[in-house]
């Protein structure tokens, strides 16, 4: 079977390799890879800026936004051949830390967790892959061409859960959310906001094209002006920040309503300095009881929430997020960002 592999730490090493077909161990599914979502993390790994190969090896099979069809399932499991599944990204650290020991590996305290396609375990950019039944999640059969949106949806399901839990520390009835960034994470965060009945606003730099259509198609209000102006006018109860751009973060945090919650989901590039009035920021956060929280990855609870959110979403809207589908052989094209991209997907022409 063919798989997209990379030598982490060295740029320009991505290639399609012919690898032996994997064999499912006890308690594992054998899955035909259908498609794989490509994200900024994959681009960083391919650029040699992130990622770790499995111990004792120098190459890693890339890919963490999976979608596949079960070819073989263990007897007595909840899975059967033909089921549409995604594989969970993260595995608990071996100690395990308290959080991992409680199934909250997304909150790992010692950093020794592993991640498929990212950190020390092969990923899902392969025509055949295996996964432990406990780390596979079944998807509604009608999501066959969009199910690779599940992993980014789990990231926003976790982000919303963090917002809810933080909000619940006092009386809480949020009305308005501002989502900064209209990429897949931002638009899926907007979807979950709409599903909660909130007044959803989405802000990005573009003034037309698929991102604007996706935001308005959802029933959200789209904005493209300066963050401080838009947020200053809207005074959102919640901000879901999905750009990772330092100035956007600062302007969003500084313009929430009182008791505002800003959830940061974007991983930024270090080394870019901006000038900030830290005293004013501190004053606003303290006097308003604001919270700024970071959120990464997702545990099984969030996978279940995301599966429900995708099953309840309009299928054509989900399809509109996938702006390019590229065959595995043309991976270099998929890894090159185009201005109108929302989600780029690699098609794997599953199994044999
Ligand atoms: C993935 C997360 C992962 C994070 C850090 C993101 O792109 O969606 O699952 O935890 O990268 O490696």
């Amino acid at each position: 079977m063919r798989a997209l592999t990379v030598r982490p730490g060295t740029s320009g090493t991505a290639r399609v390799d012919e690898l032996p077909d994997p064999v499912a161990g006890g308690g594992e599914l054998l899955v035909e890879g259908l498609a794989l979502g490509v994200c900024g993390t994959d681009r960083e790994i391919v650029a040699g800026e992130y990622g770790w190969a499995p111990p004792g090896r120098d190459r890693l099979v890339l890919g963490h936004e999976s979608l596949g069809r079960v070819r073989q399932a263990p007897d007595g499991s909840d899975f059967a051949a033909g089921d549409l599944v995604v594989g969970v990204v993260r595995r608990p650290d071996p100690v395990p830390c308290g959080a991992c020991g409680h199934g909250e590996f997304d909150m790992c305290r010692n950093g020794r967790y592993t991640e498929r396609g990212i950190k020390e375990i092969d990923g899902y950019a392969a025509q055949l892959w295996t996964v432990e039944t406990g780390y596979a999640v079944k998807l509604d059969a009608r999501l066959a061409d969009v199910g690779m949106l599940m992993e980014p949806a789990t990231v926003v399901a976790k982000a919303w859960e963090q917002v809810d839990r933080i909000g619940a520390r006092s009386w809480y009835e949020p009305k308005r959310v501002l989502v900064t960034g209209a990429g897949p994470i931002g638009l899926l965060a907007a979807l979950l906001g709409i599903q909660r009945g909130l007044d959803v606003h989405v802000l990005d730099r573009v003034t037309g094209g698929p991102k604007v259509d996706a935001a308005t198609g959802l029933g959200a209000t789209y904005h493209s002006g300066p963050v401080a102006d838009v947020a200053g006018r809207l005074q959102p109860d919640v901000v879901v920040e999905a750009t990772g751009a330092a100035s956007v973060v600062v302007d969003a945090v500084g313009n929430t309503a009182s008791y505002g919650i800003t959830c940061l989901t974007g991983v930024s590039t270090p080394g870019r300095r901006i000038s900030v009035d830290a005293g004013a920021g501190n004053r606003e956060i303290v006097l308003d009881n604001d919270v700024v929280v970071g959120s990464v990855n997702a545990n099984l609870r969030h996978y279940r929430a995301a599966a429900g959110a995708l099953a309840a979403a309009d299928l054509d809207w989900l399809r509109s997020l996938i702006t390019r589908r590229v065959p595995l052989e043309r991976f270099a094209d998929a890894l090159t960002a185009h201005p109108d991209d929302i989600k780029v997907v690699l098609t794997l022409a599953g199994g044999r």
Side-chain angles (χ1 to χ4, degrees):
M1 62 110 193
R2 282 172 299 142
L4 178 58
T5 72
V6 62
R7 185 183 175 131
T10 315
S11 72
T13 57
R15 66 176 190 226
V16 175
D17 277 337
E18 183 69 34
L19 298 179
D21 286 359
V23 177
E28 286 188 337
L29 306 175
L30 179 65
V31 180
E32 293 179 12
L34 296 176
L36 182 97
V38 172
C39 83
T41 300
D42 299 311
R43 296 196 172 105
E44 272 193 31
I45 296 172
V46 166
E49 292 161 8
Y50 194 62
W52 298 261
R57 288 184 20 205
D58 63 354
R59 297 192 74 84
L60 168 80
V61 176
L62 199 66
H64 60 280
E65 298 186 3
S66 62
L67 178 65
R69 200 172 284 290
V70 175
R71 181 183 279 189
Q72 199 185 297
D75 290 341
S77 74
D78 292 340
F79 296 88
D83 283 349
L84 198 62
V85 287
V86 304
V88 172
V89 177
R90 194 177 280 197
R91 299 293 179 276
D93 76 77
V95 177
C97 73
C100 286
H102 285 83
E104 300 204 320
F105 44 81
D106 57 313
M107 297 290 200
C108 180
R109 300 296 201 274
N110 63 22
R112 290 178 60 196
Y113 62 82
T114 53
E115 290 182 337
R116 296 228 18 194
I118 301 175
K119 190 169 184 271
E120 297 171 6
I121 349 177
D122 281 335
Y124 299 109
Q127 293 181 308
L128 281 173
W129 39 267
T130 57
V131 64
E132 312 89 305
T133 51
Y135 289 102
V137 181
K138 219 183 290 189
L139 282 190
D140 191 317
R142 66 181 205 111
L143 298 172
D145 59 348
V146 293
M148 76 299 285
L149 295 172
M150 173 78 162
E151 198 276 341
T154 67
V155 167
V156 302
K158 173 177 171 180
W160 272 111
E161 182 196 74
Q162 302 311 300
V163 169
D164 290 344
R165 291 183 174 198
I166 292 162
R169 76 198 193 279
S170 174
W171 170 82
Y172 192 49
E173 264 177 29
K175 299 248 176 318
R176 183 174 287 167
V177 54
L178 173 64
V179 175
T180 49
I185 295 287
L187 289 167
L188 289 167
L191 168 72
L192 268 68
I194 293 280
Q195 289 181 342
R196 283 153 185 260
L198 297 174
D199 173 24
V200 178
H201 295 256
V202 176
L203 184 149
D204 199 302
R205 280 187 297 207
V206 293
T207 52
K211 290 182 176 178
V212 180
D213 295 346
T216 53
L218 199 56
T221 308
Y222 184 82
H223 305 264
S224 63
V227 187
D229 294 358
V230 175
R233 216 166 0 95
L234 293 173
Q235 292 287 297
D237 302 299
V238 178
V239 173
V240 180
E241 205 300 300
T243 70
S247 62
V248 177
V249 172
V250 170
D251 286 344
V253 171
N255 286 286
T256 54
S258 188
Y259 201 72
I261 301 172
T262 304
C263 184
L264 308 179
T265 66
V267 183
S268 34
T269 316
R272 288 185 196 151
R273 287 169 187 271
I274 58 169
S275 160
V276 176
D277 183 344
N282 174 73
R283 184 184 168 94
E284 150 116 10
I285 291 171
V286 171
L287 293 180
D288 279 0
N289 291 290
D290 288 344
V291 174
V292 181
V293 60
S295 183
V296 71
N297 195 255
N299 65 40
L300 289 167
R301 193 172 64 240
H302 310 121
Y303 276 76
R304 284 190 289 272
L310 291 188
D314 179 85
L315 206 46
D316 285 331
W317 184 81
L318 292 174
R319 287 191 184 114
S320 78
L321 300 190
I322 299 165
T323 43
R324 285 193 290 143
R325 291 178 193 264
V326 179
L328 177 60
E329 285 63 35
R330 298 209 346 255
F331 66 88
D333 186 19
L335 289 163
T336 310
H338 294 184
D340 261 354
D341 282 341
I342 300 179
K343 175 57 70 188
V344 181
V345 162
L346 271 181
T347 51
L348 299 168
R352 268 186 218 150

